[in-house]
C-alpha cells in the first residue's frame, strides 16, 4: 500500500514529467485491474462505482443512476483493491452530492482506510439539460463536488477532480485541486461505449481552454485528459502530442474494459479452435 504523502506523490509525478514521461491514471473496477495496471506502470489508480458496473458488463453511466450507494460501493471496492496495490496511490471516487454523508467524516474514513486522495465521481458534470438545471436548483449541483474537493485538500489528500469546462476548472483550482481531469464525455468504442462523441481535434481545443483556466488560478496545477474519443493509446498520443500544457491521460473503460473484452474474447476463441 502506498504510504507517500500528498507532497511526495506530487513530487514523484513532477519527476516523471521532467523525465519526459506522461502521467497515467487508471480507473480500476477489480483487484486484478489494479494489480495489473501497477505492473504496467500506472502512476495512480482511481476506484469508483462505475468500475463495478462496467466490469459487470453494464455501461459506465450506470454509476450515475440509483442502482446502489456509490460511496458505500467505493468502501467495499477499497477492501478488494487496496491490499493488492504495492506502491502507487489509490484514489476514491466520491459522490460529493450525497445527502446522507457527513462529508468531513466520510473523507477521514477513506483516508484512514489507505486512500491517498479523491476524485468527484459520480459527477453531475455528466448531466445536462433541464435535469441538470433542476439538480442545481434543488441543492444537488456541481458546487457540492467543488466543496468536497476543498475538504479533501484541507485533509492533505491528493485531489484529481473531473472538470467539463473552463468555469469548473477555475472553481476546482480555487478549491485546491492538484490535478484537473479534463473530461471529454463517455468513452467511445467497445461493446458498451458511447456512439456519439467529439472529434479528437475538438477535444484538443476544449482541453487547452481547461488548462488555461486552471493555470490562471494555479500555475503549478497539472492537467490530464479522459474520455470521449480518447479511447485507444493512439488517440491519447495524438491528443497529448498536440495539446499545449497537458500532462497525461486517465483511462478506465479504455484500459480495463477494452482489455477484458478483447483479451477474453480472443482467449476463449483460441480454446474453441481446438479440435479432437
Amino acid at each position: 500500500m502506498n504510504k507517500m504523502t500528498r507532497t511526495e506523490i506530487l513530487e514523484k509525478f513532477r519527476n516523471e514529467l521532467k523525465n519526459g514521461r506522461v502521467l497515467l491514471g487508471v480507473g480500476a473496477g477489480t483487484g486484478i485491474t489494479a494489480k495489473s495496471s501497477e505492473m504496467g506502470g500506472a502512476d495512480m489508480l482511481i476506484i469508483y462505482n462505475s468500475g463495478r458496473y462496467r466490469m459487470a458488463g453494464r455501461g459506465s453511466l450506470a454509476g450515475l443512476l440509483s442502482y446502489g450507494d456509490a460511496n458505500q460501493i467505493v468502501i467495499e471496492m477499497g477492501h478488494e483493491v487496496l491490499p493488492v496495490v504495492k506502491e502507487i496511490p489509490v484514489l476514491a471516487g466520491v459522490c460529493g452530492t450525497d445527502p446522507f454523508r457527513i462529508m468531513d467524516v466520510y473523507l477521514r474514513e477513506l483516508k484512514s482506510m489507505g486512500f491517498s486522495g479523491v476524485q468527484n465521481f459520480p459527477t453531475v458534470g455528466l448531466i445536462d439539460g433541464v435535469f441538470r438545471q433542476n439538480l442545481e436548483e434543488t441543492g444537488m449541483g456541481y458546487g457540492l463536488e467543488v466543496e468536497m474537493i476543498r475538504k479533501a485538500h484541507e485533509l492533505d489528500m491528493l485531489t484529481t477532480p473531473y472538470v467539463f469546462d473552463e468555469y469548473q476548472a477555475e472553481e476546482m483550482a480555487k478549491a485546491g485541486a492538484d490535478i484537473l481531469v479534463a473530461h471529454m464525455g463517455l468513452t467511445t468504442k467497445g461493446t458498451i461505449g458511447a456512439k456519439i462523441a467529439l472529434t479528437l481535434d475538438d477535444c484538443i481545443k476544449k482541453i487547452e481552454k481547461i488548462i488555461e483556466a486552471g493555470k490562471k488560478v494555479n500555475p503549478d496545477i497539472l492537467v490530464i485528459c479522459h474520455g470521449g474519443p480518447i479511447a485507444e493509446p493512439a488517440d491519447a498520443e495524438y491528443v497529448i502530442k498536440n495539446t499545449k500544457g497537458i500532462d497525461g491521460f486517465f483511462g478506465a473503460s479504455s484500459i480495463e474494459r477494452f482489455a477484458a473484452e478483447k483479451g477474453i474474447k480472443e482467449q476463449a476463441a483460441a480454446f474453441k479452435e481446438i479440435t479432437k
Side-chain angles (χ1 to χ4, degrees):
M1 185 177 74
N2 165 67
K3 294 185 178 180
M4 291 186 291
T5 64
R6 169 180 162 270
T7 300
E8 291 169 338
I9 293 168
L10 286 170
E11 183 179 358
K12 183 180 178 183
F13 287 177
R14 295 188 191 284
N15 284 334
E16 284 288 296
L17 294 168
K18 285 178 183 177
N19 291 325
R21 292 186 287 268
V22 298
L23 298 179
L24 176 63
V26 176
T30 65
I32 193 66
T33 298
K35 193 173 183 178
S36 301
S37 296
E38 182 173 33
M39 291 171 64
D43 297 292
M44 57 184 152
L45 299 167
I46 300 95
I47 61 177
Y48 45 73
N49 68 334
S50 270
R52 171 170 289 183
Y53 297 127
R54 179 170 53 241
M55 297 310 285
R58 275 67 178 181
S60 294
L61 288 184
L64 273 69
L65 298 175
S66 54
Y67 301 148
D69 180 342
N71 286 330
Q72 181 58 36
I73 288 171
V74 165
I75 289 177
E76 294 167 4
M77 292 174 70
H79 293 311
E80 176 181 345
V81 171
L82 288 166
V84 301
V85 178
K86 291 183 168 59
E87 296 180 2
I88 63 175
V90 180
L91 285 69
V94 175
C95 180
T97 59
D98 187 344
F100 301 103
R101 301 276 172 178
I102 300 172
M103 197 51 64
D104 305 76
V105 174
Y106 180 64
L107 291 173
R108 288 190 179 93
E109 179 183 1
L110 293 175
K111 189 171 184 178
S112 70
M113 284 181 64
F115 284 103
S116 298
V118 298
Q119 184 172 68
N120 56 325
F121 195 90
T123 172
V124 299
L126 281 167
I127 301 171
D128 58 14
V130 175
F131 184 36
R132 172 64 178 279
Q133 182 180 340
N134 290 164
L135 288 172
E136 297 288 345
E137 291 170 347
T138 54
M140 291 177 278
Y142 189 83
L144 289 177
E145 299 178 27
V146 175
E147 185 59 25
M148 182 275 290
I149 291 296
R150 190 187 314 280
K151 290 177 183 294
H153 176 72
E154 290 170 356
L155 290 173
D156 202 33
M157 300 179 80
L158 186 72
T159 51
T160 68
Y162 280 135
V163 297
F164 298 82
D165 57 37
E166 307 97 294
Y167 173 75
Q168 292 175 359
E170 189 175 335
E171 289 301 298
M172 284 297 191
K174 289 177 181 176
D178 298 303
I179 302 172
L180 298 178
V181 183
H183 201 306
M184 298 295 107
L186 187 65
T187 301
T188 60
K189 303 181 182 179
T191 61
I192 51 175
K195 305 303 180 187
I196 300 172
L198 301 167
T199 67
L200 291 174
D201 289 324
D202 288 336
C203 289
I204 290 169
K205 293 174 185 175
K206 283 196 68 174
I207 295 166
E208 286 184 341
K209 288 180 181 178
I210 286 170
I211 292 170
E212 182 180 357
K215 288 189 177 294
K216 189 184 299 182
V217 177
N218 175 13
D220 295 325
I221 204 165
L222 302 176
V223 182
I224 61 178
C225 59
H226 169 75
I230 316 171
E232 301 282 0
D235 303 323
E237 182 178 21
Y238 179 82
V239 170
I240 289 168
K241 287 187 180 298
N242 290 282
T243 304
K244 183 180 179 181
I246 197 167
D247 299 300
F249 172 72
F250 168 57
S253 292
S254 55
I255 293 180
E256 70 171 357
R257 175 168 67 82
F258 287 7
E261 287 176 344
K262 182 179 179 182
I264 294 173
K265 177 183 176 182
E266 291 180 355
Q267 189 78 339
F271 276 103
K272 187 61 180 175
E273 287 298 314
I274 299 172
T275 58
K276 293 194 292 181

